[in-house]
Amino acid sequence: MARTVIEPFRIKSVEPIRWTTRQEREDLLRAAHFNLFLLPAEDVLIDLLTDSGTGAMSTKQWAAIMEGDESYAGSKSYDHFRDSIQDIFGYRHVIPAHQGRAAERILFGVMCKKGDVVPNNTHFDTTRANVEFVGAEAVDLVIAEGKQPSLVHPFKGNMDVAALENLIQKVGRERIPLVMLTVTNNSGGGQPVSMENVRQVSEICQRHRIPLYFDACRFAENAYFIKLREPGFGSKSPKQIAQEMFRYGDGCTMSAKKDGMANIGGFLCTNNDLLAQQEKNLLILTEGYPTYGGLAGRDLEAIAVGIQEALHEDYLQYRIASTAYLGNHISENGVPIVQPPGGHAVYIDARAFLPHIPPDQFPGVALANELYLEGGIRSVEIGTLMFGAAARMDLVRLAIPRRVYTQSHIDYVVETILEVFKKRDQIQGLHLAYEAPFLRHFTARLEPMAHAAVNHR
Ligand code: F0G
């Protein structure tokens, strides 16, 4: 019999989490204008808002932090950081940045100009915003299977290579300064990209002399999915798989807040000497000197250790198993989710969960709020509030912080979701009371529809 996959660590330091009553949560949610972003984190019992920067560090990382060299220039912590990254990624230049979006801003600032086009399997929202900020167009080319929530496919993050060829024919290679692949595809459900797809995309890029960059945030989870699902990779280590994948590219952006296992940090890599020089010049302007790039020496040390730990096979086995555990348990009980469960998160299909709430009444927000009221769980809407009427789906993402919650926490989350599922007919939609001109989901204020009816009387 297969044994239970256990957490491959024991707990040395604990952080209490705080219970609230249903009445308190009702008051807190009202005070937060029915927007979970506006809630004080200490009033959340289990926080699944994001897996970014929320992980627990290991004893080795904390020990490395004490070794942090805080020298302004030439810090030895930078050498540790660069060597550890080069060992996995293999790129010639490693440029630290305070987080992923800082690396994106510098990359697109140097490589793109107005009128350019950047293809990606699916741009994450900060990636898209940084492409558009320099006047270029961000185009998403994920395969058709990647757009159907209930469809099971092993590599739903793959890029549609025929669509990439067509785009290059249509706009011309001069207008495409780079192609990007996001591993795993966060906006598409945390779904992986296969090595075969990486090879095909790389071959097309080489033929047209277009550089290929990875948005590498969750590269270790992607490598493990390749090991599990792609023929020929079962006996390779996640590190060997990651090394192979990065050889097909020319560079990457990375948020070390994900598979860097750190609470802050990121980096930019490239094999191009000229670009690296330009990137460092921009870096000095806003991030800092190229041996620290907006990070403390201790942060560089934590990342140097964390990025290797993210590739440990027992960790990845537990990581992918615990996300699947949550996804499969709720799915077996009828809850509609994006199939199969992703690496870092489970995405509930809120339109299918709450068919009586039309998209313009924010079914994803309604469901996320109900999970908080029922059990003190915080999740995030990825749908009409985030993207406006253009949203193709209304999803609720349950992102799992790395090495933070145990199986009983996840059991509690499953129970809460199933309780809410039983009462789904009673859940109401919401309407907007205030919205900012851009990125409105962070600060929006909402009201339940019933209140609106009362107010109109
Ligand atoms: N790319 C992807 C695929 C991401 O998921 C993120 C962040 C970034 C880039 C930007 O990195 O936050 O360090 O600036 N995703 C977080 C999330 C915020 O909740 O999914 P950052």
Side-chain angles (χ1 to χ4, degrees):
M1 202 181 79
R3 299 255 175 98
T4 304
V5 176
I6 62 168
E7 289 80 8
F9 48 79
R10 54 185 181 175
I11 296 166
K12 180 169 259 178
S13 177
V14 298
E15 183 182 7
I17 50 178
R18 197 170 87 83
W19 288 95
T20 48
T21 64
R22 168 117 198 168
Q23 183 60 54
E24 283 171 333
R25 291 195 291 277
E26 281 173 9
D27 296 343
L28 286 159
L29 191 59
R30 197 169 311 111
H33 302 282
F34 299 92
N35 180 349
L36 297 176
F37 275 108
L38 304 180
L39 212 58
E42 67 170 358
D43 296 324
V44 174
L45 184 69
I46 297 192
D47 204 346
L48 308 182
L49 182 68
T50 180
D51 64 320
S52 180
T54 53
M57 289 202 287
S58 67
T59 49
K60 291 219 168 87
Q61 283 178 292
W62 284 109
I65 277 174
M66 285 306 293
E67 301 274 351
D69 173 357
E70 305 301 343
S71 304
Y72 188 93
S75 155
K76 78 170 183 308
S77 296
Y78 172 74
D79 297 343
H80 297 160
F81 175 82
R82 181 202 52 217
D83 293 350
S84 178
I85 291 165
Q86 279 180 338
D87 173 44
I88 300 163
F89 291 68
Y91 300 124
R92 193 146 63 227
H93 302 280
V94 178
I95 302 172
H98 79 270
Q99 60 183 79
R101 67 198 71 180
E104 291 163 7
R105 191 185 61 80
I106 289 168
L107 178 72
F108 301 132
V110 165
M111 291 192 85
C112 302
K113 58 181 190 308
K114 197 170 173 347
D116 283 347
V117 176
V118 180
N120 198 324
N121 44 355
T122 311
H123 290 82
F124 180 66
D125 40 2
T126 60
T127 322
R128 169 174 290 277
N130 275 298
V131 168
E132 291 172 352
F133 188 70
V134 296
E137 189 191 344
V139 179
D140 292 341
L141 297 179
V142 75
I143 54 170
E145 290 89 335
K147 298 177 198 162
Q148 299 170 47
S150 60
L151 190 107
V152 178
H153 179 286
F155 292 105
K156 276 174 111 170
N158 282 355
M159 183 178 271
D160 181 337
V161 287
L164 177 62
E165 285 275 18
N166 287 342
L167 183 78
I168 298 171
Q169 297 304 333
K170 199 175 95 197
V171 308
R173 64 160 285 271
E174 316 73 44
R175 281 178 59 202
I176 305 181
L178 75 163
V179 171
M180 282 199 102
L181 275 177
T182 304
V183 294
T184 58
N185 186 15
N186 182 11
S187 309
Q191 302 291 329
V193 176
S194 70
M195 192 72 84
E196 185 194 16
N197 191 247
V198 171
R199 271 190 214 120
Q200 289 169 338
V201 170
S202 165
E203 188 275 317
I204 293 171
C205 287
Q206 278 180 21
R207 188 150 34 80
H208 295 280
R209 295 191 309 285
I210 302 172
L212 171 62
Y213 277 70
F214 291 96
D215 176 339
C217 295
R218 300 178 180 87
F219 75 96
E221 292 169 8
N222 200 91
Y224 196 65
F225 278 123
I226 288 176
K227 182 179 169 75
L228 291 182
R229 297 182 184 170
E230 192 162 350
F233 289 92
S235 59
K236 295 199 172 147
S237 70
K239 187 162 163 178
Q240 287 171 323
I241 295 170
Q243 287 166 329
E244 177 174 343
M245 183 182 77
F246 290 125
R247 278 201 291 273
Y248 288 107
D250 301 278
C252 71
T253 57
M254 171 78 189
S255 167
K257 302 172 75 171
K258 285 86 171 175
D259 280 348
M261 298 285 209
N263 300 121
I264 195 70
F267 53 87
L268 173 57
C269 291
T270 181
N271 279 335
N272 183 317
D273 298 340
L274 181 65
L275 281 180
Q277 195 53 56
Q278 294 170 340
E279 286 163 358
K280 285 182 199 169
N281 293 344
L282 258 190
L283 189 83
I284 291 174
L285 205 58
T286 58
E287 292 283 302
Y289 190 75
T291 58
Y292 74 87
L295 297 171
R298 55 179 172 269
D299 299 326
L300 299 170
E301 295 283 357
I303 296 166
V305 176
I307 208 150
Q308 298 285 343
E309 288 180 353
L311 287 165
H312 289 179
E313 202 154 334
D314 58 351
Y315 159 72
L316 282 168
Q317 185 195 24
Y318 138 80
R319 172 77 178 152
I320 300 305
S322 55
T323 308
Y325 179 88
L326 169 59
N328 293 338
H329 271 74
I330 59 174
S331 162
E332 280 158 14
N333 285 282
V335 175
I337 65 165
V338 174
Q339 291 286 4
H344 68 297
V346 171
Y347 297 66
I348 301 178
D349 181 348
R351 281 189 199 171
F353 194 111
L354 300 171
H356 59 287
I357 302 182
D360 65 358
Q361 291 180 18
F362 309 109
V365 179
L367 175 55
N369 287 354
E370 204 58 35
L371 295 178
Y372 177 68
L373 288 176
E374 183 69 31
I377 296 164
R378 178 157 70 171
S379 52
V380 67
E381 185 246 23
I382 301 189
T384 308
L385 182 62
M386 193 177 270
F387 300 122
R392 274 187 294 106
M393 299 187 265
D394 276 283
L395 304 176
V396 170
R397 184 183 77 172
L398 304 155
I400 323 265
R402 292 170 180 76
R403 304 190 290 208
V404 169
Y405 294 116
T406 63
Q407 186 169 341
S408 56
H409 289 118
I410 300 297
D411 283 331
Y412 172 88
V413 173
V414 169
E415 288 159 18
T416 304
I417 294 169
L418 296 182
E419 280 303 315
V420 170
F421 191 53
K422 272 192 234 151
K423 299 191 267 194
R424 61 191 183 278
D425 298 349
Q426 296 159 34
I427 301 174
Q428 292 172 344
L430 301 104
H431 74 105
L432 269 173
Y434 162 78
E435 62 179 311
F438 48 86
L439 294 172
R440 65 177 182 174
H441 53 289
F442 290 121
T443 53
R445 296 181 200 147
L446 298 104
E447 280 174 14
M449 292 309 287
H451 287 217
V454 172
N455 290 345
H456 287 305
R457 241 183 259 143

